[in-house]
């Protein structure tokens, strides 16, 4: 089961928000909360509130629908920062001119999911290393080049 929380029209650039969201993707909720507490970015406080909201949503829905959800097994399944509307502004420039710039706004979505009993999110599949691609011997290529050269010279 997934639990989500959204924060819309946040006055921060989505690019800056993604820097913080990348730190918590795939982590357990408690570990993500600790990471956000010690991150020096300004948006980390907002993401921390959003994480708490998603956790409260999970707690409320588990009580409402009589679901047996352990809050300790929740992890951050996805964290996305999308563009919101941009505010166009003008900055005065020398000699009566004006420079335009844009203030960016972000919409942040956080999705929590429950991970199985201590196992990773990959369900029992063994990862195998891909077999290296077969290569032709480099000498065979050189030999073919030399023979074609000799034929050209013989004509």
């Amino acid at each position: 089961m997934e639990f989500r929380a959204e924060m819309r029209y946040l006055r921060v650039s989505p690019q800056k928000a993604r820097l913080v969201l990348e730190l918590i993707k795939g982590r357990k909720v408690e570990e993500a909360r600790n990471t956000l507490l010690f991150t020096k970015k300004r948006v980390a406080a907002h993401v921390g509130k959003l994480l708490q909201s998603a956790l409260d949503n999970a707690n409320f829905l588990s009580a409402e629908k009589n679901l047996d959800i352990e809050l300790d097994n929740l992890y951050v399944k996805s964290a996305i920062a999308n563009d919101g509307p941009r505010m166009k502004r003008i900055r005065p420039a020398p000699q009566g001119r004006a420079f335009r710039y844009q203030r960016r706004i972000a919409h942040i979505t956080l999705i929590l999911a429950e991970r199985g009993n201590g196992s990773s999110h990959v369900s029992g599949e063994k990862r195998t290393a891909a077999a290296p691609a077969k290569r032709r011997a480099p000498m065979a290529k050189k030999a073919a080049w030399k023979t074609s050269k000799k034929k050209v010279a013989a004509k």
Side-chain angles (χ1 to χ4, degrees):
M1 183 123 194
E2 294 181 351
F3 309 98
R4 58 186 285 144
E6 287 187 11
M7 183 177 286
R8 298 177 57 88
Y9 302 102
L10 183 64
R11 286 282 307 269
V12 68
S13 166
Q15 182 179 4
K16 291 178 183 178
R18 284 183 200 115
L19 291 174
V20 174
L21 294 176
E22 287 295 323
L23 295 174
I24 64 169
K25 275 186 192 174
R27 293 187 179 216
K28 294 182 104 173
V29 171
E30 201 58 41
E31 191 178 342
R33 184 183 289 164
N34 288 335
T35 302
L36 291 172
L37 282 175
F38 294 106
T39 301
K40 291 185 177 182
K41 298 283 187 182
R42 181 177 62 92
V43 72
H46 296 290
V47 175
K49 288 180 185 179
L50 187 63
L51 181 64
Q52 183 60 43
S53 175
L55 196 58
D56 291 342
N57 289 344
N59 196 12
F60 174 76
L61 287 174
S62 66
E64 188 74 21
K65 296 183 178 181
N66 291 331
L67 299 172
D68 186 29
I69 295 173
E70 284 198 39
L71 298 179
D72 296 336
N73 287 340
L74 290 177
Y75 73 102
V76 180
K77 184 175 181 183
S78 76
I80 302 167
N82 291 324
D83 281 335
R86 295 180 179 181
M87 297 187 298
K88 277 81 171 179
R89 297 290 181 258
I90 295 175
R91 173 174 291 144
Q95 299 178 0
R97 291 175 297 176
F99 293 148
R100 294 190 68 189
Y101 65 96
Q102 296 178 351
R103 297 226 169 174
R104 288 171 168 75
I105 295 176
H107 298 317
I108 301 176
T109 304
L110 202 65
I111 299 176
L112 302 181
E114 191 173 18
R115 189 170 280 165
N117 299 333
S119 64
S120 66
H121 58 279
V122 178
S123 58
E125 297 176 14
K126 291 184 179 178
R127 294 184 183 184
T128 57
K134 293 182 181 179
R135 292 184 181 175
R136 277 195 311 185
M139 294 306 289
K141 191 175 182 182
K142 254 186 183 176
W145 180 75
K146 284 183 179 178
T147 56
S148 64
K149 194 172 184 179
K150 287 181 183 177
K151 288 178 183 176
V152 171
K155 288 182 182 178

